[in-house]
Amino acid sequence: MAVVEETGATVAAAPRPRGGPLRSVRDSLVVAKRNLLRMMRIPEMVVFGLVQPIMFVVLFSYVFGGAIMVPGQASADATVYREFLMAGIFAQTVTFATAGAGAGIADDMHKGLIDRFRSLPMARGAVLTGRTLADLVQTALTLVVLAIVAVIVGWRVHDGVLKALCAFALLLLLGYAFSWIGALIGLSVRTPEAATSGGLIWLFPLTFISNAFVPSSKMPAVLGHIADWNPFSATVQASRQLFGNPEGVVSDAWPMQHPALASILWSLLIIVLFRTLAVRKYRSATA
């Protein structure tokens, strides 16, 4: 390990990582494996993560299903609303994983684990990338369970398995993008509790001012316009199209006319922006 002089004191400097991009990928996978093993040893983390989305499916399906009419239908139909609803529930589930990602990173920072990682000759961004990849795997497992529950309550896919898999891929891409927002929040607060609160407080307006639960055409004009350009809405709309589920009235806004492309562009933009900010924050926090 290299030794440097700083203000008259001898300080041990972290060894520099070598190996380039391949080494960075390998380091990220090692960190991801560590986080997945931790999740397996604490199954309550996965179980509690499933409870909320399942509750949303049951409550919205049976409490509101017969009262909300999807535009284009002659009357309120619980079955039609369930199919309209499920893409929104899927998207909400993958984005709410943001809070868990932020809390996990904040917990690692609080316990000093990040400092131990820093003493190793590993890529600086690998710690965050590994964490977000592990969260992506957990989110995928959650979606599988949630899809089974959705089928039980009456949700169906009408345009084939391939398109359905493409819809789930868009959902996971959105979830991965939002996990980088969670990583930045986790690095910016002092405790896991603050990371959890900070990861949820902005998600509720984001998910409810969207087309997830009601069509944007039923909102006041200003809110409807915001909902149409909401990255969350683009993924929901694209998923509905790919699942073959009812879409309601689709606005003339570009993201609603090209939802799949808009979903991909929004997700990639969020990943590039917030990964850059999170890695920069990580380097400054551990410097």
Side-chain angles (χ1 to χ4, degrees):
M1 185 177 293
V3 177
V4 297
E5 295 292 332
E6 182 179 326
T7 64
T10 302
V11 180
R16 293 186 177 182
R18 296 178 180 178
L22 291 179
R23 178 60 181 270
S24 179
V25 171
R26 186 170 62 181
D27 291 345
S28 299
L29 293 177
V30 169
V31 176
K33 180 181 178 181
R34 173 256 174 191
N35 284 285
L36 289 173
L37 289 174
R38 182 188 177 198
M39 292 175 188
M40 292 174 62
R41 291 173 185 145
I42 312 175
E44 307 93 90
M45 295 173 60
V46 179
V47 173
F48 291 152
L50 288 171
V51 171
Q52 179 176 295
I54 291 175
M55 287 177 58
F56 271 110
V57 171
V58 175
L59 289 174
F60 274 87
S61 295
Y62 292 103
V63 176
F64 300 112
I68 298 178
M69 184 176 70
V70 178
Q73 303 297 316
S75 61
D77 187 324
T79 302
V80 172
Y81 181 70
R82 284 173 198 147
E83 294 201 342
F84 174 84
L85 169 72
M86 282 315 306
I89 295 291
F90 290 147
Q92 185 188 58
T93 299
V94 301
T95 53
F96 270 40
T98 300
I105 291 174
D107 187 51
D108 288 344
M109 291 284 290
H110 184 68
K111 292 179 178 178
L113 182 65
I114 298 297
D115 291 332
R116 292 196 288 273
F117 278 136
R118 185 171 173 264
S119 68
L120 301 174
M122 62 187 300
R124 291 293 175 258
V127 174
L128 301 180
T129 303
R131 176 75 207 196
T132 54
L133 288 175
D135 290 330
L136 181 64
V137 173
Q138 182 179 0
T139 301
L141 294 175
T142 302
L143 276 181
V144 170
V145 175
L146 196 57
I148 294 172
V149 175
V151 170
I152 293 174
V153 301
W155 173 71
R156 296 293 184 269
V157 170
H158 300 287
D159 284 349
V161 175
L162 183 58
K163 286 189 176 182
L165 291 176
C166 290
F168 283 118
L170 289 178
L171 290 163
L172 290 174
L173 180 63
L174 180 72
Y176 182 69
F178 273 60
S179 69
W180 281 106
I181 301 177
L184 180 61
I185 293 172
L187 291 167
S188 303
V189 299
R190 296 183 180 180
T191 64
E193 293 79 9
T196 301
S197 299
L200 287 175
I201 192 170
W202 59 275
L203 278 174
F204 281 102
L206 181 80
T207 55
F208 281 93
I209 305 178
S210 72
N211 60 0
F213 306 110
V214 296
S216 59
S217 59
K218 289 193 171 184
M219 300 179 184
V222 174
L223 290 182
H225 186 70
I226 294 173
D228 289 339
W229 285 89
N230 186 340
F232 186 85
S233 294
T235 301
V236 172
Q237 187 67 23
S239 298
R240 285 188 181 126
Q241 288 185 357
L242 292 168
F243 289 141
N245 292 157
E247 300 177 31
V249 175
V250 180
S251 77
D252 294 331
W254 186 86
M256 296 296 99
Q257 294 295 319
H258 308 86
L261 179 58
S263 174
I264 294 171
L265 293 177
W266 274 121
S267 295
L268 292 178
L269 177 63
I270 292 170
I271 291 171
V272 171
L273 175 61
F274 283 93
R275 188 185 188 280
T276 302
L277 293 175
V279 171
R280 183 178 301 173
K281 183 70 176 179
Y282 170 78
R283 287 173 175 169
S284 64
T286 57

